[in-house]
Amino acid sequence: MKNPIADLNKIFDSRIRLGVMSMLIVNHEISFNDLKQMLELTDGNLASHLNTLEQAQFIAVHKGFIGRKTSTTYSITDLGKQAFKAHLDALEKMINKL
Amino acid sequence: MKNPIADLNKIFDSRIRLGVMSMLIVNHEISFNDLKQMLELTDGNLASHLNTLEQAQFIAVHKGFIGRKTSTTYSITDLGKQAFKAHLDALEKMINKL
DNA sequence: TATTTAACTTTGAAAAACAAAGCACTTTCA
DNA sequence: TGAAAGTGCTTTGTTTTTCAAAGTTAAATA
């Protein structure tokens, strides 16, 4: 038998990063503020998790405006999509022995 | 829209505890040593995660023998089964927007 | 002009993860 | 018989991660 957790991606151990990714898979683009409210996080906490995901190049940041107000939005990258799907596959494999 | 991570169980954020539970769902009983080898962990690390799961009453410990050698085995409790399934449901709901 | 909002960064504390070593007990091997 | 090895821990201490709170910059609104 094989180590069932070896293929899980460490970046997605965090529920918050998992939540961000799952939201970005569904919604093409989401603002900082929406993520914050949806996941019920403080600014600093969200920012640091987004940073981790950006470092890994799993998400991309877009600085823009709504009217003249700044609005930062985030989207998933191809690499991020790949990694997330691989993680979900690993989870499934681990669990589908049920 | 609802917070997608609110229903995830914090105990299962850990890949190791997730791995232990997934193994115990499939195999009725597993020894300390087998878990250790399968998950590639040090004694201390495994023991502390098992302790967390035991505290939560998600697993039960059985001290026994194989021949005359001591052998501690672990099994999942009904509560553990419930909690794990609820976690998997939450994961699925989070992801099945795909 | 004062306040608010957005999106951070910085700081620091608390919690969690982890490896290594020690330990009690038993068994096996030389 | 004595040394080495295995099982299943606990203890210790370090590293990593998480997180909240406060500070920051810049623009918008009252």
Side-chain angles (χ1 to χ4, degrees):
Chain A
M1 214 191 288
K2 218 198 123 230
N3 181 343
I5 64 179
D7 293 335
L8 295 176
N9 191 325
K10 280 211 174 125
I11 288 194
F12 302 132
D13 278 2
S14 150
R15 68 210 282 103
I16 292 177
R17 293 192 293 266
L18 205 62
V20 168
M21 293 300 279
S22 87
M23 289 182 68
L24 287 181
I25 279 256
V26 190
N27 307 279
H28 175 57
E29 250 187 324
I30 311 184
S31 71
F32 185 89
N33 226 3
D34 283 350
L35 283 170
K36 187 179 115 184
Q37 281 170 11
M38 210 76 82
L39 301 173
E40 302 175 58
L41 302 171
T42 56
D43 290 5
N45 193 7
L46 175 57
S48 73
H49 284 291
L50 289 174
N51 204 46
T52 300
L53 290 171
E54 202 194 343
Q55 293 299 96
Q57 296 183 291
F58 289 175
I59 63 173
V61 185
H62 317 277
K63 309 236 169 211
F65 295 89
I66 292 185
R68 295 234 211 108
K69 233 189 206 167
T70 60
S71 164
T72 308
T73 61
Y74 299 85
S75 64
I76 198 167
T77 62
D78 283 346
L79 186 64
K81 230 177 265 185
Q82 260 181 49
F84 192 55
K85 284 190 177 158
H87 181 77
L88 297 187
D89 281 354
L91 263 184
E92 241 178 73
K93 255 172 217 151
M94 197 185 78
I95 286 156
N96 270 358
K97 302 164 187 164
L98 290 179
Chain B
M1 214 193 285
K2 217 198 124 229
N3 181 343
I5 64 180
D7 292 336
L8 296 176
N9 191 326
K10 282 211 173 126
I11 287 194
F12 302 131
D13 279 359
S14 151
R15 69 210 282 101
I16 293 176
R17 293 193 294 267
L18 205 63
V20 168
M21 293 301 280
S22 86
M23 290 183 67
L24 287 181
I25 279 257
V26 190
N27 308 278
H28 174 58
E29 250 185 325
I30 311 184
S31 71
F32 184 91
N33 227 1
D34 283 351
L35 284 171
K36 187 179 114 184
Q37 281 170 11
M38 210 77 82
L39 301 174
E40 301 174 59
L41 302 171
T42 56
D43 289 6
N45 195 6
L46 175 56
S48 74
H49 283 291
L50 289 175
N51 205 45
T52 300
L53 289 171
E54 203 194 341
Q55 292 300 97
Q57 296 183 291
F58 288 175
I59 63 172
V61 186
H62 318 277
K63 310 237 169 210
F65 295 87
I66 291 182
R68 295 229 211 113
K69 238 189 204 166
T70 59
S71 165
T72 310
T73 62
Y74 299 84
S75 64
I76 198 167
T77 61
D78 284 345
L79 185 64
K81 229 176 267 183
Q82 261 181 50
F84 191 55
K85 284 191 176 157
H87 181 78
L88 297 186
D89 281 353
L91 263 184
E92 241 179 72
K93 256 173 218 151
M94 198 185 79
I95 286 155
N96 271 358
K97 301 164 189 165
L98 288 180

